[in-house]
Amino acid sequence: MINAIKNLFGFGVKVNYADLIKQGAIILDVRSKGEFQSGHIKGSVNIPVDTLKNNLSKLKKDKPIITCCASGMRSASAKSILKSNGYNEVYNGGGWRSLQNKIK
């Protein structure tokens, strides 16, 4: 149970996000449009978590997806939504600023 919670919030197995990006991973920023416009990772896709279920067709299932938000809570929810809709390779990148430092 504890491991499931850790994995949900991105605290489980260490992930090399830079390698995932090199492999073609999509960075999915699930913050609001306004938050995204105030700063984001270059090349990331913005689909707010509250509209994600209605916009799944915009994401390919054959590429890794790294979710991010401001702190990691919404990105954990987004990861769960994606996983429950057949997206197999989904990672919670946590806060976008932290993720940005991890992919440099």
Side-chain angles (χ1 to χ4, degrees), residues 17 20-21 24-30 45 52 56 58-68 78-79 82-83 87-93:
Y17 294 103
L20 287 173
I21 298 297
I26 297 163
I27 299 174
L28 175 62
D29 190 319
V30 297
V45 174
L52 185 56
L56 293 174
K58 294 180 180 179
L59 300 169
K60 295 182 179 182
K61 290 185 178 181
D62 63 346
K63 291 193 176 225
I65 298 175
I66 304 168
T67 60
C68 68
K79 176 183 176 180
L82 292 170
K83 286 288 216 177
Y87 292 81
N88 295 319
E89 199 172 353
V90 184
Y91 304 88
N92 180 2

Side-chain angles (χ1 to χ4, degrees), residues 37-68:
Q37 288 172 349
S38 70
H40 59 270
I41 297 172
K42 185 178 178 181
S44 60
V45 174
N46 179 228
I47 303 175
V49 71
D50 57 341
T51 66
L52 185 56
K53 287 181 185 173
N54 295 327
N55 288 288
L56 293 174
S57 62
K58 294 180 180 179
L59 300 169
K60 295 182 179 182
K61 290 185 178 181
D62 63 346
K63 291 193 176 225
I65 298 175
I66 304 168
T67 60
C68 68

